[in-house]
Amino acid sequence: MGRAWDPQLSLLLLLLSYCAGTSLDLIPYTPQISSHALEGKVTAATFSLDQPRCVFSEHADPADAVWLVVAFSNATEDFQNPKTAAEIPSYTKLSSSFYYMTLKLSPELYPCEEEDIAVLRVGSDTNCLGNLSQEYCNAPLLAPGPYRVKFLVMDDNGRPKAETRWSDPITLNQGKDPRSIDTWPGRRSGCMIVITSILSTFAGLLVIAFLVASTVQFSSLWWPEDPSPPEQLHIGSFIGKRYTTHHIPPSEADTLPVGRGAHLPPGPCPAPIV
C-alpha cells in the first residue's frame, strides 16, 4: 500500500525550488558617492557614484547587463527585483512606486584597470526628458530624496543573477529660502568683520580723495584769479642810436663837381668879401 503524499511536504519542496531558482548572488560591494575631489558631486538634481571597478568579473558574463536601481530610502524594502525585462521599472515609475532602474551597461565597461577619474553621474541625461518611458532614461531627479542605490546583474533573458548591497542614504542639495538667511553681523566670524571694516574704511578714503581732487580741479572756475596790472614804461628804459639824414662825410663833399645845376648840401652862407 502506497504512502499518502503529504501536501505540506509538497509545498515545502515547491518553495525550495522557487527560492533556488530566484536566489541571487550577493556581491560584497556597497555603492557610494565618489571619493574623488570633484566639484558638484552632489547637486540639486544629480549625484556622482564611484564606478564599481573589478566587481562583476566573477558574477556576470559578457552578455549580461548591469543595471543601477535608484529608490527612495524608505522604499528599498518594497522593491522587488524584476523577473523579466518587461518588469523593469522606468523613470516614470519614480513618482508612483518610488524606484526605477537606469544606466544599463555591459560588465566589460567596469574593468579592473583603474582610471584617473571614473564616476557614474545619476540624473545627468536631460535629453530623455522628451521620452521618459525609454529604459535607459537617466533624467534629473526632481526631489531631494534621500535615495539609496544598488547594482543589479541581469542575464540576456532579463532574469536577475546577482546584486550588490544598498548604499547609504544620499540627500541632494537644496536651495535656501532667502528669508531664512541670517544677515545679523553678530553671526559672522571675527575675520569677516575685520575684512569688512578695512574695506569700508578704504572705500571712504577713496571717496574723500576724489572730492578733494575735484575741488582743486574746478576751483578756478568758481573763484577766477584777479588779472595782473599792466607793465608800466619808464623813461630811459629804451636806449637807441641817433641818426642824421642826408649826412655826407666831409671827405666826399670835396670831390663833388661844381657847376650849374649842381646841388650842394645845405649849410651856412659864406661871409661876403669886402
Side-chain angles (χ1 to χ4, degrees), residues 166-206:
W166 286 99
S167 68
D168 294 332
I170 301 172
T171 303
L172 303 182
N173 295 334
Q174 303 180 54
K176 291 185 177 180
D177 187 353
R179 294 172 297 180
S180 65
I181 300 176
D182 189 4
T183 59
W184 178 250
R187 303 291 184 183
R188 300 177 183 177
S189 63
C191 294
M192 184 176 293
I193 295 176
V194 171
I195 294 175
T196 304
S197 302
I198 293 175
L199 293 177
S200 300
T201 304
F202 184 69
L205 293 176
L206 287 179

Side-chain angles (χ1 to χ4, degrees), residues 25-261:
D25 293 338
L26 180 61
I27 302 174
Y29 177 79
T30 302
Q32 63 179 3
I33 293 294
S34 176
S35 58
H36 298 283
L38 300 174
E39 294 292 339
K41 291 190 293 187
V42 178
T43 67
T46 64
F47 58 88
S48 299
L49 301 172
D50 278 331
Q51 287 193 10
R53 294 288 177 178
C54 202
V55 172
F56 307 108
S57 58
E58 298 181 359
H59 304 275
D61 298 325
D64 296 338
V66 179
W67 288 82
L68 180 69
V69 182
V70 182
F72 284 97
S73 59
N74 57 357
T76 56
E77 296 181 357
D78 299 331
F79 176 78
Q80 299 293 329
N81 292 324
K83 299 178 179 63
T84 62
E87 297 180 3
I88 295 176
S90 63
Y91 178 84
T92 55
K93 300 294 184 181
L94 180 61
S95 59
S96 58
S97 60
F98 309 111
Y99 49 78
Y100 72 102
M101 294 173 60
T102 184
L103 293 176
K104 177 185 177 182
L105 297 174
S106 172
E108 297 178 351
L109 297 178
Y110 299 116
C112 296
E113 292 79 8
E114 292 289 339
E115 295 183 0
D116 294 337
I117 297 178
V119 297
L120 291 176
R121 195 168 185 84
V122 180
S124 61
D125 188 5
T126 59
N127 296 325
C128 67
L129 291 175
N131 184 16
L132 298 177
S133 61
Q134 63 179 353
E135 62 177 359
Y136 304 107
C137 185
N138 184 28
L141 301 171
L142 302 180
Y147 300 94
R148 298 178 71 183
V149 298
K150 74 173 182 178
F151 291 96
L152 180 64
V153 180
M154 302 183 70
D155 60 17
D156 54 352
N157 294 321
R159 292 189 297 265
K161 295 178 56 177
E163 64 180 353
T164 65
R165 293 187 290 262
W166 286 99
S167 68
D168 294 332
I170 301 172
T171 303
L172 303 182
N173 295 334
Q174 303 180 54
K176 291 185 177 180
D177 187 353
R179 294 172 297 180
S180 65
I181 300 176
D182 189 4
T183 59
W184 178 250
R187 303 291 184 183
R188 300 177 183 177
S189 63
C191 294
M192 184 176 293
I193 295 176
V194 171
I195 294 175
T196 304
S197 302
I198 293 175
L199 293 177
S200 300
T201 304
F202 184 69
L205 293 176
L206 287 179
V207 172
I208 294 174
F210 174 76
L211 293 176
V212 172
S214 300
T215 302
V216 174
Q217 180 69 24
F218 297 103
S219 61
S220 59
L221 298 178
W222 298 338
W223 299 289
E225 298 180 356
D226 296 334
S228 58
E231 184 179 356
Q232 298 181 358
L233 301 178
H234 301 280
I235 299 175
S237 58
F238 294 95
I239 300 176
K241 295 182 179 181
R242 180 178 179 182
Y243 295 93
T244 302
T245 58
H246 304 291
H247 175 71
I248 300 176
S251 59
E252 296 181 1
D254 296 340
T255 60
L256 291 178
V258 178
R260 183 181 297 179

Side-chain angles (χ1 to χ4, degrees), residues 259-264:
R260 183 181 297 179
H263 298 279
L264 297 177

